[in-house]
Amino acid sequence: MSINDLPGYEQVPREHRDYQIDWLHPDDIEQIVALETGFFPEPLTITKLTQLIQEPHTCYIVVRDGKQVIGYIGFQYFLAAAHTISMAVHAGYRREALATVIQKTADAVAKKHGARWFTGEVRVSNEPQLRFLRGLGWHEIGRCENFFKNGEDAIVVWNWL
Ligand SMILES: CC(C)(COP(=O)(O)OP(=O)(O)OC[C@H]1O[C@@H](n2cnc3c(N)ncnc32)[C@H](O)[C@@H]1OP(=O)(O)O)[C@@H](O)C(=O)NCCC(=O)NCCS
């Protein structure tokens, strides 16, 4: 059975405008780590990302413009819950609704795997991500103090699927 025969996988791969929405390929790993290093105080390393994608309940969805990764989400699903590892859109491709397409694709895949809700933690300083999720109807269900390694608090976010 190929990966595309598994339930939920009909959501990917597909086209969005001129971009391809696809599963992560090994060639994407370095690009994702480079993007994370540009955006996040605690980026994934190549070693950590390589370990994560080998875990059975990890899913990575990428958007490519040609061979360039311009957006991605990584998440894990456990029974009724799906949980975001991280997501991002390349700075040159923002406000094109790419994050919206990525999250909606992830929602559909997680739902097909039995997830009933999606959750995550967002830095209190990350107003773009909080606004983005509010726009998709996500709820901010609490604040977790000192969540990140640099001491920043997290807003715990949650959405029904
Ligand atoms: C947050 C992020 C993923 C949004 O990606 P994006 O592709 O630009 O988002 P979309 O185009 O789908 O935006 C949808 C809506 O979210 C809101 N939004 C997105 N970015 C915003 C910003 N910088 N400021 C305010 N609202 C924003 C808007 O309501 C937007 O709709 P509009 O463009 O019609 O006004 C992107 O800015 C990013 O990659 N940031 C760095 C990485 C990061 O912080 N990831 C999240 C933590 S894991």
Side-chain angles (χ1 to χ4, degrees):
M1 191 195 289
S2 89
I3 193 166
N4 289 308
D5 297 326
L6 293 168
Y9 287 99
E10 64 270 22
Q11 304 295 331
V12 213
R14 62 191 165 88
E15 306 290 322
H16 173 69
R17 302 201 191 116
D18 292 334
Y19 312 136
Q20 193 195 16
I21 301 174
D22 197 5
W23 309 111
L24 177 142
H25 294 168
D27 287 353
D28 301 325
I29 290 175
E30 279 189 28
Q31 291 193 61
I32 289 177
V33 169
L35 288 170
E36 293 237 336
T37 304
F39 304 144
F40 299 134
E42 293 151 29
L44 287 170
T45 61
I46 288 179
T47 305
K48 180 66 185 163
L49 181 53
T50 303
Q51 282 170 357
L52 269 174
I53 61 174
Q54 288 168 27
E55 293 177 17
H57 299 294
T58 301
C59 181
Y60 267 81
I61 295 166
V62 303
V63 183
R64 290 190 212 92
D65 183 2
K67 289 187 176 173
Q68 184 185 11
V69 174
I70 58 171
Y72 67 92
I73 186 169
F75 63 97
Q76 292 183 309
Y77 45 89
F78 312 95
L79 302 173
H83 178 257
T84 305
I85 301 167
S86 60
M87 74 172 298
V89 171
H90 186 291
Y93 292 84
R94 292 193 185 152
R95 307 305 282 267
E96 292 187 33
L98 278 183
T100 304
V101 169
I102 292 167
Q103 184 63 57
K104 287 186 172 173
T105 306
D107 288 354
V109 172
K111 203 169 172 179
K112 291 282 183 134
H113 279 289
R116 307 284 297 278
W117 61 83
F118 224 113
T119 185
E121 302 80 28
V122 181
R123 288 176 185 275
V124 287
S125 61
N126 196 345
E127 196 56 35
Q129 179 73 358
L130 291 169
R131 283 183 189 233
F132 160 65
L133 293 175
R134 275 179 215 136
L136 291 182
W138 286 53
H139 305 281
E140 291 164 24
I141 60 170
R143 180 170 178 140
C144 186
E145 287 185 5
N146 201 24
F147 181 81
F148 294 99
K149 285 190 184 129
N150 68 353
E152 187 167 359
D153 294 356
I155 302 296
V156 180
V157 289
W158 184 94
N159 194 34
W160 280 120
L161 290 173

